[in-house]
Amino acid sequence: MPTAPDLTALHDSLLMRTLRCEPTPRRPLWLMRQAGRYLPEYLQVRAAAGDFLTLVKTPAAASEVTLQPIERFGLDAAIIFSDILIVPDAMDLGLGFVTGEGPKLAKPLTADTVKTLSAPAADHYHYLYDAIALTRRDLPATVPLIGFAGAPFTLACYMIDGSGGAFWRTRAMYRADPALFHQILSITADAVATLLIGQLAAGCQTVMLFDSWGGLLADDQYETFSLQYIRRIIRQIKEKSDAPIIVFGRQCALSLAAIANSDAAAVGVDWQTSIASARKLTDGKVALQGNMDPAVLLTDTATITAEAQRILTNYGTSPGHIFNLGHGIDKNTPPENVAALVAAVKEHKI
C-alpha cells in the first residue's frame, strides 16, 4: 500500500481549516459527484473504460476523472472517484451496473448467506489505494483529497434488497429479525472502517461517510440501526489517524444533533434542511457542509448566484461552513452552471 504524503502543505488549506472550525477568508467549496456524468471529459474516459466498474478499478482512469473538476473549476477539494458499493463487491455479492437502472447485486443477502459474510482484507482495495496515490501526486499542494465510503445502514439496504428502490426487504428484516440485521451491520461497519483507514494511509486528508438512505429510518431508530455503527467506524479510524471525518445523512434532519455528537468533524446537510436550522440543531459543535439543492444548477446564472448567496448569508459569519450541494450533481447539469456557482461562492467574503 502506498504511504501517506506529508500533510504539512495541506494543513492550512481552506477545507482543512474549516474542518477545524478555524476562520478563513472565504468558504471552501467542493461538490458531491463533482467528477461525473455532467462533464464531457468524464464521458470520454468512461467510454474508453467500457463500463463503470472497470473505470472505478483502473487507477489511472479513476485518478484522471478525479482531477478533471479541479482542473476545470478550481474547486477547493477533490474526492476520489469510486463507488460506495465496492464493499459489497469485495464481499462477493456480485456487483454490476445496468444502464438506466443503476447498481445491482447478483447475490443479495439471505439468512443463510449472512453466516459466511466477513469483512474483506484491506488489500482487496489495492486499485483504489493506487488511484489515491496517483491523484495525490498530481493534485496541487493546497487541494485536499477526500476519501469516502457508504455508511453500514445504507450499504445494508443494497446488500439485502440487491438494488435501489424502496428497500422493502431491508425494512422488513430490521423489524422482524433485528439480531440478523445487527450482524450484517456489525460486519459491514468493520469493513468500512478498514476501507477508510486504507484510504487515509494511501494519501487522503479526510474521509466522508455517506448515509444516503439513513432517512428511511424513523428518528427513534436511527441510533439503533445506523448511528451506533457510524460511531464504531469513527472510533476505529481515530485509533489509527487524527484525520477529520465528515458524516452525511440524507433526510436525517431529526438526527443532526445526534450525528454532531458522533465525534465527526463535520456534518453534511441535505437541501431539505435550512443551513440556519442545522446550525441551531448542531449548536456549533461541528463544521457543516452543504446544502444547495442540486436542481438549482439546472437553472441560470442569476438564480444560482442568488441561491448561493442566500445559503452563505443564512449560515452567518462564524467559521465552519463548507459550501456544497445537498446531494450529488445531476447528470444533466451544464458545466457552465457549475462555473457560475464556483464564482459566486469564491466572491463571497466572510
Side-chain angles (χ1 to χ4, degrees), residues 107-130:
K107 297 181 283 185
L109 291 174
T110 66
D112 288 334
T113 57
V114 171
K115 297 174 185 176
T116 61
L117 193 68
S118 62
D123 61 6
H124 189 97
Y125 309 104
H126 60 86
Y127 58 88
L128 176 57
Y129 304 144
D130 288 346

Side-chain angles (χ1 to χ4, degrees), residues 153 160 166-182 215-221 224-225:
F153 176 79
I160 295 164
F167 299 109
W168 290 96
R169 291 183 63 212
T170 300
R171 289 155 56 200
M173 182 187 287
Y174 66 70
R175 290 179 170 89
D177 197 344
L180 182 66
F181 196 71
H182 281 297
L216 290 174
L217 293 164
D219 60 306
D220 61 349
Q221 297 172 320
T224 301
F225 293 116

Side-chain angles (χ1 to χ4, degrees), residues 53-232:
L53 200 53
T54 299
L55 174 54
V56 167
K57 293 186 176 183
T58 304
S63 177
E64 181 178 356
V65 298
T66 300
L67 293 164
Q68 286 172 348
I70 307 303
E71 294 166 350
R72 182 188 270 257
F73 302 117
L75 294 158
D76 296 310
I79 183 166
I80 193 66
F81 185 81
S82 186
D83 193 88
I84 65 170
L85 295 183
I86 63 172
V87 171
D89 177 60
M91 292 173 168
D92 196 31
L93 298 187
L95 176 62
F97 289 84
V98 180
T99 302
E101 297 182 32
K104 288 188 178 295
L105 297 174
K107 297 181 283 185
L109 291 174
T110 66
D112 288 334
T113 57
V114 171
K115 297 174 185 176
T116 61
L117 193 68
S118 62
D123 61 6
H124 189 97
Y125 309 104
H126 60 86
Y127 58 88
L128 176 57
Y129 304 144
D130 288 346
I132 288 168
L134 287 172
T135 305
R136 184 64 270 165
R137 181 195 68 190
D138 294 334
L139 272 174
T142 56
V143 178
L145 179 59
I146 303 167
F148 72 93
F153 176 79
T154 287
L155 293 179
C157 288
Y158 289 101
M159 291 161 66
I160 295 164
D161 275 74
S163 62
F167 299 109
W168 290 96
R169 291 183 63 212
T170 300
R171 289 155 56 200
M173 182 187 287
Y174 66 70
R175 290 179 170 89
D177 197 344
L180 182 66
F181 196 71
H182 281 297
Q183 185 178 354
I184 295 168
L185 292 172
S186 178
I187 294 167
T188 304
D190 291 342
V192 169
T194 296
L195 172 61
L196 293 176
I197 291 167
Q199 291 183 63
L200 289 167
C204 289
Q205 281 64 62
T206 180
V207 290
M208 181 167 171
L209 275 165
F210 284 89
D211 202 5
S212 304
W213 297 109
L216 290 174
L217 293 164
D219 60 306
D220 61 349
Q221 297 172 320
Y222 192 72
E223 169 66 34
T224 301
F225 293 116
S226 185
L227 190 54
Q228 69 162 310
Y229 293 98
I230 290 173
R231 288 196 182 98
R232 177 170 168 166

